Amino acid sequence: MSRIGKLPVNLPSGVSVEIAPDNTVTVKGPLGTLSQKVDSDITVKVEEGVLTVERPTNQPRHRSMHGLYRSLINNMVVGVSTGYETKQELVGVGFKAEVEGQLLKLSLGYSHDIYVMLPAEVKAEAQQEKKGNPIVTLRSNDKQLIGQVAAKIRSLRKPEPYKGKGIKFVGEQLRRKAGKSANAK
């Protein structure tokens, strides 16, 4: 039995789950609606506020999908009830971030500014404090989408290993290199 797949998903108050005949699971909550198509072999049941995912056999294919779909459905339930948040820090002299609606404007030390158009489901906020690095906060109810957007933003200027300049997640530990040795012969 899958250790993840056998765990039940508790539905918080205000969250409802509908299972369509074509095995599409739709989760509705205070922060929106998300849906996921589930493989026809996997059965999803909702009983008394608890959602369970079951597989028909012990084949490797069914075992792999069991935990996957349980995790995806759990992520949808958490997303529509509490949502997800990602914070990224811009480390570097002169690095700036501004948000105008769904447009994120980044100054990352290049000769030009970089504009990122955010999806409608993602809300962004940029904050700049005195003597601190700019922080871009992304919020969404879709965990997969917010992860993709955060990875795209990070790819614009990955942190380099010598000084740590670039875009990093808040709390991320970077592996640093020593650089040149002063007394090298």
Side-chain angles (χ1 to χ4, degrees):
M1 199 66 180
S2 170
R3 283 185 284 176
I4 294 173
K6 69 181 177 183
L7 296 174
V9 178
N10 295 320
L11 301 175
S13 60
V15 175
S16 64
V17 175
E18 295 175 11
I19 302 161
D22 66 340
N23 231 15
T24 300
V25 178
T26 305
V27 182
K28 293 180 183 173
L31 296 180
T33 303
L34 295 172
S35 62
Q36 172 69 44
K37 178 95 170 84
V38 177
D39 192 270
S40 59
D41 293 343
I42 303 295
T43 56
V44 181
K45 296 179 185 172
V46 179
E47 297 169 347
E48 299 165 9
V50 176
L51 184 139
T52 55
V53 179
E54 296 171 357
R55 64 177 186 234
T57 66
N58 231 4
Q59 294 177 359
R61 179 176 165 274
H62 290 151
R63 286 198 322 235
S64 66
M65 288 190 301
H66 189 204
L68 169 74
Y69 285 121
R70 189 265 176 202
S71 293
L72 291 175
I73 293 170
N74 186 54
N75 289 344
M76 290 193 306
V77 169
V78 171
V80 298
S81 60
T82 60
Y84 291 100
E85 179 179 278
T86 302
K87 291 188 175 197
Q88 293 179 310
E89 186 176 1
L90 282 62
V91 180
V93 177
F95 285 16
K96 289 185 237 170
E98 296 175 25
V99 177
E100 298 165 3
Q102 290 302 104
L103 189 68
L104 177 63
K105 178 184 171 186
L106 299 169
S107 298
L108 301 174
Y110 297 120
S111 62
H112 58 282
D113 291 340
I114 298 173
Y115 297 92
V116 178
M117 192 66 187
L118 300 172
E121 297 86 8
V122 177
K123 304 293 177 233
E125 179 183 310
Q127 50 199 23
Q128 170 70 48
E129 297 173 5
K130 288 278 188 190
K131 300 212 176 190
N133 295 323
I135 294 179
V136 176
T137 306
L138 302 172
R139 289 186 182 87
S140 179
N141 61 0
D142 192 344
K143 186 175 187 178
Q144 183 177 351
L145 181 65
I146 197 171
Q148 272 185 315
V149 171
K152 175 67 178 167
I153 292 171
R154 187 177 194 269
S155 72
L156 298 173
R157 186 100 189 209
K158 289 185 180 170
E160 51 96 13
Y162 297 102
K163 292 183 180 177
K165 283 176 48 175
I167 301 174
K168 69 179 192 108
F169 292 101
V170 172
E172 179 183 9
Q173 296 293 320
L174 299 175
R175 291 188 63 191
R176 303 288 292 269
K177 292 185 179 178
K180 287 185 186 178
S181 175
N183 297 336
K185 292 185 180 181

